[in-house]
């Protein structure tokens, strides 16, 4: 197969949801369809079980397991599908945000009884920032659900995106009979099945009287009425709008019972984008370019304390990646060769000789990589779109063992490279501040510093509301601001200026008092 065909047949995406909506279950069903696994329950995803939230050792163990399932690749109908797993736990939201920088589209799973939940809203904001094409799967129709029209309205309103149903549920709860495929104009009445993928009864035409026999006169009449209504209310599906991230096709089903998953997958493979161009600070990189380039969007530490190896996940952006070929590590200005790059197929990891745009390559790393680093064939490419977000929680981090200050500094440095949390150094008193999205990370950092770096740390409270990256074209005002607020000025890992606002009020006052300064809540602007 030619290089261009290899690119065109790739679909790299993430499934995102509020915890418990059914992301893991849907992932597993897609893998079953793809033949990548053969029994349900085979996927140990990044999911961190609720019961484990207070036990971070258990979490780390689960995170260790999840290396293999961070990317799940499979072949289906001539396509190479790459699913990037994201941690469901909201304390690891930053991981999820970064994973979204490496995908070309997203499937959002929504619980039909709960509607749009908080985490879904947040993740959608990230998709919107990047205009990522989004598909929605409304799950758990086998349970009593909200009315599908109400759900569509809610999605449209809460996620600020236009919607167009491309499948439609026949009943819900005990009366759930299956879904009508609006996209392909056919109907499969599935038998509920948790283990295998079964073919259902195919009905090609909605007017077919056998529909009345199969699902009963009343449900058949309702289905016909509702389909009429849909076609009256919603304009024809417009693929271009979907590809621009303006319109979300919506599917209904029950992942657990294999209802509606096939409709979703078939349509997804047809309409979802193949690998898209990537932005760098200097130019746009197209996947079809001959020369290889890629960036690190995730680093996963190996939990084995005897081998402090990590895996850097590189998204191939252009050209063909080849094993044992020399590439340029842009940020280190160093040429490197990789003898054992890995690819991920379902729950297996294997050494690969080559990879194409859209693929994710796992590179064993002993500390050379940090998040957002890039590899190229020599060009100084710095990929954009891998921002840090202002953390929600802050604490001072202090050395608890004066004999081990070097180890502590190294440990903090490497954990920050992995993107476990963000470090800010207060320019006034030199104290280090760790900022995280969730409380769990503080425990994870403390635990890992001790076990992997033999360094002890303790935390001290700090009252902070937000860390904002600041910039201005008015150098005098910026200088004045930094002088007046020197107690609250910090530097991030890259040496950029960050204003630490103690409260919403303080931030507002700063914004009002210094009109020429721009305050940003993400590190990329
Ligand atoms: P997540 O990754 O989004 O957090 O969700 P996950 O797939 O783990 O699903 C959360 C729970 O919802 C699981 O039950 C799962 O079995 C159930 N579920 C998923 N899809 C459906 C569906 O279509 N219908 C119904 N009725 N339930 C569904 P659990 O009890 O938390 O876990 P488990 O013991 O079943 O694994």
């Amino acid at each position: 197969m030619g290089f261009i065909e290899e690119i065109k047949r790739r679909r790299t995406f993430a499934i995102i949801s509020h915890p418990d909506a059914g992301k893991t279950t849907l992932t597993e069903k897609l893998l079953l369809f793809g033949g990548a696994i053969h029994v349900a329950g085979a996927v140990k995803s990044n999911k961190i079980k609720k019961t484990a939230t207070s036990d971070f050792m258990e979490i780390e163990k689960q995170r260790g397991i999840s290396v293999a399932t961070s990317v799940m690749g499979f072949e289906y109908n001539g396509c190479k599908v790459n699913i990037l797993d994201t941690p469901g736990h909201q304390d690891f939201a930053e991981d999820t945000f970064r994973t979204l920088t490496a995908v070309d589209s997203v499937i959002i799973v929504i619980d039909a009884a709960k509607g749009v939940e908080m985490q879904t809203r947040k993740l959608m904001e990230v998709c919107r920032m990047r205009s990522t094409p989004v598909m929605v799967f409304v799950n758990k129709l086998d349970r009593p659900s909200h009315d599908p029209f109400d759900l569509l309205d809610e999605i449209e309103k809460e996620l600020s995106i236009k919607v167009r149903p491309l499948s439609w549920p026949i009943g819900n709860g005990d009366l759930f009979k299956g879904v009508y495929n609006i996209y392909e104009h056919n109907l499969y009445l599935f038998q509920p099945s948790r283990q295998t993928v079964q073919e259902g009864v195919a009905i090609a035409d909605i007017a077919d009287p056998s529909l009345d026999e199969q699902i009963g006169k009343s449900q058949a009449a309702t289905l016909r009425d509702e389909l009429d209504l849909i076609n009256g209310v919603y304009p024809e599906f417009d693929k271009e709008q979907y590809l621009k991230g303006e319109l979300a096709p919506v599917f209904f089903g029950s992942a657990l019972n294999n209802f509606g998953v096939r409709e979703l997958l078939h349509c997804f493979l047809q309409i979802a984008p193949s690998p898209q161009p990537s932005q760098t600070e200097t130019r746009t990189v197209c996947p079809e370019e001959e020369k290889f380039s890629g960036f690190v969007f995730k680093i996963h530490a190996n939990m084995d304390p005897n081998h402090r190896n990590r895996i850097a996940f590189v998204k191939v952006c252009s050209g063909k990646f080849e094993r044992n070929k020399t590439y340029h590590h842009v940020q280190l200005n160093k040429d490197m060769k990789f003898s054992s790059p890995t690819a991920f197929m379902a729950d297996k990891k294997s050494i690969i000789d080559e990879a194409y745009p859209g693929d994710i390559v796992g590179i064993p790393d002993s500390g050379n990589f940090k998040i957002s680093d890039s590899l190229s064939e020599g060009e100084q490419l710095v990929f954009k779109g891998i921002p840090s977000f202002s953390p929600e929680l802050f604490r001072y981090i202090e050395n608890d063992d004066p004999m081990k200050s070097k180890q502590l500094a190294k440990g903090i440095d490497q954990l920050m490279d992995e993107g476990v949390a963000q470090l800010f150094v207060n320019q006034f008193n030199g104290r280090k501040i760790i900022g995280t999205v969730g409380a769990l990370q503080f425990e994870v950092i403390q635990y890992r510093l001790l076990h992997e770096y033999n360094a002890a740390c303790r935390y001290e409270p700090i009252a902070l509301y937000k860390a904002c990256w600041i910039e201005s074209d008015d150098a005098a005002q910026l200088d004045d601001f930094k002088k007046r607020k020197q107690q609250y000025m910090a530097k991030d890992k890259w040496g950029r200026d960050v204003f630490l606002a103690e409260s919403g009020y303080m931030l507002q006052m700063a914004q009002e008092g210094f009109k020429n300064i721009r305050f940003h809540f993400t590190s990329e602007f």
Side-chain angles (χ1 to χ4, degrees):
M1 193 178 299
F3 176 58
I4 300 294
E5 286 82 52
E6 284 288 2
I7 300 173
K8 292 283 169 248
R9 75 188 192 95
R10 276 164 165 75
R11 303 282 180 275
T12 303
F13 72 106
I15 305 180
I16 54 179
S17 74
H18 191 85
D20 272 348
K23 179 171 71 71
T24 312
T25 314
L26 179 64
T27 306
E28 190 165 89
K29 296 297 156 154
L30 294 174
L31 294 177
L32 277 171
F33 267 104
I37 55 168
H38 299 287
V39 284
V43 176
K44 306 262 182 309
S45 89
N46 256 334
K47 181 169 177 170
I48 291 160
K49 297 211 174 67
K50 280 163 281 181
T51 47
T53 44
S54 55
D55 182 352
F56 54 86
M57 276 179 70
E58 183 55 31
I59 287 163
E60 287 305 305
K61 241 192 271 157
Q62 291 190 27
R63 277 167 64 81
I65 293 166
S66 68
V67 177
T69 49
S70 290
V71 183
M72 288 162 282
F74 64 90
E75 300 268 343
Y76 189 78
N77 278 1
C79 287
K80 166 85 193 296
V81 182
N82 293 317
I83 308 181
L84 274 54
D85 198 11
T86 55
H89 199 291
Q90 63 179 30
D91 281 10
F92 294 94
E94 188 91 10
D95 265 14
T96 304
F97 296 155
R98 278 192 297 260
T99 298
L100 292 181
T101 65
V103 301
D104 298 300
S105 69
V106 153
I107 295 180
I108 296 180
V109 184
I110 287 172
D111 185 328
K114 295 193 177 144
V116 176
E117 294 172 89
M118 189 257 299
Q119 193 68 3
T120 324
R121 233 173 272 134
K122 274 197 185 168
L123 292 167
M124 182 64 204
E125 274 168 36
V126 181
C127 294
R128 199 171 310 108
M129 272 169 63
R130 308 174 50 80
S131 304
T132 310
V134 162
M135 267 187 183
V136 176
F137 183 72
V138 181
N139 190 29
K140 304 198 188 181
L141 266 292
D142 60 319
R143 292 208 181 141
S145 311
H146 290 318
D147 175 76
F149 285 107
D150 290 347
L151 280 164
L152 289 174
D153 287 347
E154 185 179 341
I155 295 166
E156 199 153 61
K157 203 166 117 236
E158 296 281 329
L159 299 185
S160 308
I161 189 163
K162 280 191 281 184
V163 294
R164 177 39 157 124
L166 287 186
S167 82
W168 195 250
I170 306 169
N172 66 63
D174 290 342
L175 292 175
F176 185 46
K177 297 280 170 59
V179 294
Y180 178 75
N181 189 338
I182 299 177
Y183 188 66
E184 289 180 352
H185 301 285
N186 60 26
L187 175 67
Y188 279 90
L189 293 172
F190 284 108
Q191 301 298 321
S193 162
R194 297 188 177 193
Q195 284 298 328
T196 52
V197 179
Q198 292 187 344
E199 288 292 313
V201 181
I203 296 176
D205 185 355
I206 191 82
D208 190 334
S210 73
L211 180 67
D212 301 67
E213 279 163 39
Q214 293 286 347
I215 62 173
K217 271 197 169 15
S218 144
Q219 275 193 297
T222 308
L223 177 63
R224 291 186 184 110
D225 286 351
E226 289 182 340
L227 289 175
D228 275 350
L229 188 57
I230 290 165
N231 291 328
V233 170
Y234 294 97
E236 280 285 301
F237 172 65
D238 179 349
K239 186 174 155 187
E240 287 313 307
Q241 278 193 314
Y242 156 69
L243 292 174
K244 282 192 209 149
E246 293 166 0
L247 174 77
V250 181
F251 292 81
F252 292 84
S254 162
L256 193 62
N257 295 293
N258 270 329
F259 278 107
V261 177
R262 171 205 190 98
E263 286 74 4
L264 172 77
L265 178 62
H266 280 201
C267 178
F268 172 80
L269 294 180
Q270 284 183 43
I271 67 171
S274 53
Q276 295 295 294
S278 316
Q279 298 303 325
T280 71
E281 283 180 0
T282 37
R283 68 182 185 88
T284 302
V285 171
C286 291
E288 298 81 12
E289 290 177 23
E290 216 175 284
K291 290 196 171 146
F292 161 77
S293 69
F295 67 86
V296 177
F297 68 95
K298 174 177 173 132
I299 291 177
H300 211 304
N302 188 336
M303 291 305 139
D304 180 352
N306 299 321
H307 305 92
R308 200 191 295 153
N309 264 358
R310 314 191 289 182
I311 295 183
F313 289 79
V314 176
K315 157 94 187 266
V316 180
C317 296
S318 68
K320 189 159 97 177
F321 173 90
E322 288 173 75
R323 184 158 82 98
N324 279 329
K325 189 167 167 181
T326 304
Y327 292 118
H328 187 63
H329 184 311
V330 173
Q331 285 72 12
L332 291 184
N333 193 18
K334 183 172 157 185
D335 286 343
M336 301 173 89
K337 248 196 225 178
F338 308 104
S339 59
S340 42
T342 50
F344 307 84
M345 290 301 276
D347 50 354
K348 285 193 287 295
K349 182 166 95 169
S350 54
I351 293 192
I352 45 141
D353 288 319
E354 54 186 40
Y356 292 90
D359 285 342
I360 309 300
V361 181
I363 296 182
D365 171 44
S366 51
N368 281 314
F369 286 104
K370 61 180 183 333
I371 301 246
S372 82
D373 278 354
S374 34
L375 288 172
S376 73
E377 293 197 22
E379 194 179 342
Q380 291 297 106
L381 292 173
V382 176
F383 286 89
K384 283 174 48 171
I386 314 157
S388 303
F389 294 81
S390 175
E392 314 262 319
L393 304 169
F394 301 87
R395 288 186 201 167
Y396 283 122
I397 184 164
E398 299 291 347
N399 189 358
D400 216 20
D401 179 352
M403 307 295 287
K404 300 279 168 60
S405 57
K406 258 198 193 142
Q407 284 91 327
L408 184 75
K410 182 173 177 203
I412 293 178
D413 210 38
Q414 292 208 346
L415 293 183
M416 298 308 126
D417 284 352
E418 266 180 46
V420 176
Q422 292 180 61
L423 180 72
F424 303 102
V425 182
N426 186 314
Q427 295 304 287
F428 189 64
N429 55 22
R431 291 183 79 181
K432 289 181 173 167
I433 299 161
I434 300 273
T436 69
V437 179
L440 260 174
Q441 269 99 334
F442 289 114
E443 289 177 60
V444 170
I445 291 167
Q446 201 165 32
Y447 177 86
R448 289 190 55 191
L449 284 173
L450 194 62
H451 288 85
E452 292 172 38
Y453 299 90
N454 202 15
C457 78
R458 85 190 125 76
Y459 296 113
E460 283 177 20
I462 174 171
L464 274 189
Y465 165 68
K466 281 258 186 283
C468 317
W469 286 267
I470 56 167
E471 54 150 8
S472 176
D473 304 323
D474 182 344
Q477 189 168 99
L478 192 61
D479 250 15
D480 184 35
F481 181 82
K482 287 203 269 189
K483 267 198 205 101
R484 285 176 195 236
K485 303 281 180 194
Q486 54 176 301
Q487 275 164 283
Y488 305 103
M489 289 310 301
K491 295 267 188 206
D492 73 1
K493 202 171 155 39
W494 289 271
R496 289 174 296 204
D497 286 323
V498 175
F499 170 56
L500 305 170
E502 277 183 342
S503 64
Y505 177 71
M506 181 178 173
L507 178 60
Q508 195 190 341
M509 293 305 286
Q511 284 168 320
E512 281 169 13
F514 296 85
K515 294 270 190 236
N516 293 343
I517 294 180
R518 292 180 289 277
F519 296 80
H520 301 280
F521 299 104
T522 65
S523 64
E524 211 170 73
F525 26 85

